[in-house]
Amino acid sequence: MPPAHIRNAPTKLMKQLGYGKGYQYDPDTPEGFSGANFFPDEMERRTFYKPKGEGHEEKVKARLERWAEMRARMQSEPDA
């Protein structure tokens, strides 16, 4: 089952059960990135794509590295 905070809450009961509570919509955050983890806590984050940094992949690589740094920082903050 996905975590309750990412589940849709179209009914009062679902809202009472905590569905959607604490969900952060990336575009609504100051940096446009919430750093949210959508996998179970016990599941290790895997890397499926490692751009070499050649051509357009250079920008993709920089963006992925920035997101990883932001995610690590957000998860280490007390409010995260």
Side-chain angles (χ1 to χ4, degrees):
M1 293 293 286
H5 76 279
I6 65 170
R7 295 184 201 170
N8 188 22
T11 68
K12 288 181 183 179
L13 174 62
M14 292 173 138
K15 289 178 185 175
Q16 290 171 348
L17 294 173
Y19 286 27
K21 184 177 182 179
Y23 177 76
Q24 290 185 318
Y25 181 56
D26 285 350
D28 289 344
T29 64
E31 294 181 323
F33 181 78
S34 69
N37 182 20
F38 299 108
F39 295 98
D41 291 335
E42 63 276 357
M43 186 175 177
E44 180 181 333
R45 177 173 285 278
R46 295 180 61 191
T47 301
F48 295 97
Y49 173 58
K50 290 185 178 182
K52 294 181 180 181
E54 299 172 2
H56 182 69
E57 284 190 346
E58 182 176 2
K59 291 179 183 180
V60 174
K61 182 178 180 182
R63 179 175 293 155
L64 291 173
E65 289 170 352
R66 181 170 180 258
W67 286 341
E69 291 169 6
M70 291 170 69
R71 185 178 295 108
R73 185 187 76 237
M74 291 172 175
Q75 290 176 354
S76 68
E77 293 174 356
D79 295 42

